[in-house]
Amino acid sequence: MIKLCVFDFDSTIMDGETIDILAAANNASEEVANITKRSMNGELDFFESLTKRVKFLKGLPLLKVNEICKNLPIMPGAGELIEALKQKGIKVVVFSGGFHNATDVMQKKLNFDANFANILQHHKDGILTGEVGGEMMFSSSKGDMIDRLCGLLNLGKDEIMCVGDGANDISMFRKCDLSIAFCAKDILKKEATHCVDVKDLREILKFIR
């Protein structure tokens, strides 16, 4: 019986990559999108790719970041899926290698229970420094956080479902018995118990018992 569902954020709950959208607003779209693609395919270490990409956000006003994050596109079926899971008494948590600016806003919109992400550092005048810190900085971070939640909630692997799309989701997939690769990269599909290749999160309800 599933008691906890953990979702990746970018290209899973949110339809796109937050950092790519922010980079486009700072005239660094092509450079960052290329690094993102390589990272999600497992060609680059996640920490290295994250810190490289965030440097391209240097000089962006925090107010602009927050405005963009208020209007990020939601993946089709996300609201219905989360509502259905919560009706079953399942806790819904989001892990993101992205930023709280986006995940905190989306939590209010979609009503999931908690989220863990990173923080874009900024100067006192509200301008991004190009540095980042937080809870999801490394390729192992999502798996490590699953361990913490399991200890806190007293859960076993058979009570957890994870959903994601890229290489940095591998560590959490290895911590649960039900792992769903959603419109995912090949490197993650190899680690998944199930794959969904239709861009509709409601398809995941088929795997919940």
Side-chain angles (χ1 to χ4, degrees), residues 4-203:
L4 172 68
C5 286
V6 179
F7 291 89
D8 170 48
F9 183 72
D10 293 295
S11 298
T12 304
I13 293 295
M14 197 277 281
D15 190 1
E17 295 288 329
T18 305
I19 196 164
D20 292 358
I21 296 169
L22 293 176
N26 210 34
N27 300 313
S29 179
E30 188 175 338
E31 300 94 326
V32 170
N34 181 54
I35 299 172
T36 298
K37 182 179 179 181
R38 292 181 65 201
S39 176
M40 291 302 99
N41 283 327
E43 297 170 22
L44 291 176
D45 171 74
F46 183 75
F47 175 78
E48 179 187 1
S49 73
L50 176 64
T51 52
K52 275 185 178 180
R53 286 178 289 167
V54 171
K55 288 188 186 305
F56 285 101
L57 303 183
K58 184 177 181 179
L60 199 60
L62 184 62
L63 284 174
K64 190 169 186 178
V65 170
N66 290 337
E67 190 60 36
I68 290 168
C69 289
K70 285 178 186 175
N71 297 291
L72 293 172
I74 299 171
M75 187 65 71
E80 296 93 326
L81 172 59
I82 290 170
E83 184 179 354
L85 293 173
K86 296 195 76 176
Q87 285 177 355
K88 293 175 178 287
I90 297 170
K91 295 291 184 187
V92 179
V93 176
V94 168
F95 290 173
S96 178
F99 316 110
H100 274 289
N101 310 71
T103 57
D104 291 353
V105 171
M106 199 66 80
Q107 183 173 350
K108 291 175 183 176
K109 289 183 179 181
L110 297 180
N111 198 34
F112 42 85
D113 294 292
N115 79 86
F116 299 89
N118 297 317
I119 297 167
L120 290 167
Q121 297 179 11
H122 58 87
H123 297 291
K124 286 189 284 186
D125 61 0
I127 302 298
L128 297 194
T129 65
E131 302 296 327
V132 62
E135 303 142 354
M136 293 282 143
M137 295 281 288
F138 303 96
S139 59
S140 62
S141 293
K142 292 182 180 182
D144 293 342
M145 191 61 73
I146 290 272
D147 285 339
R148 294 182 190 180
L149 290 179
C150 285
L152 181 66
L153 301 173
N154 193 28
L155 298 176
K157 287 180 70 175
D158 60 329
E159 297 174 302
I160 305 166
M161 179 181 81
C162 292
V163 183
D165 76 302
N168 72 321
D169 297 315
I170 291 173
S171 66
M172 71 174 181
F173 271 34
R174 292 176 177 173
K175 300 289 184 175
C176 63
D177 286 348
L178 178 56
S179 54
I180 300 173
F182 178 75
C183 299
K185 308 296 185 291
D186 288 341
I187 191 171
L188 188 67
K189 286 183 176 183
K190 295 172 185 175
E191 300 282 340
T193 59
H194 301 83
C195 295
V196 171
D197 293 317
V198 179
K199 207 173 182 181
D200 186 344
L201 282 169
R202 288 169 294 191
E203 291 290 312

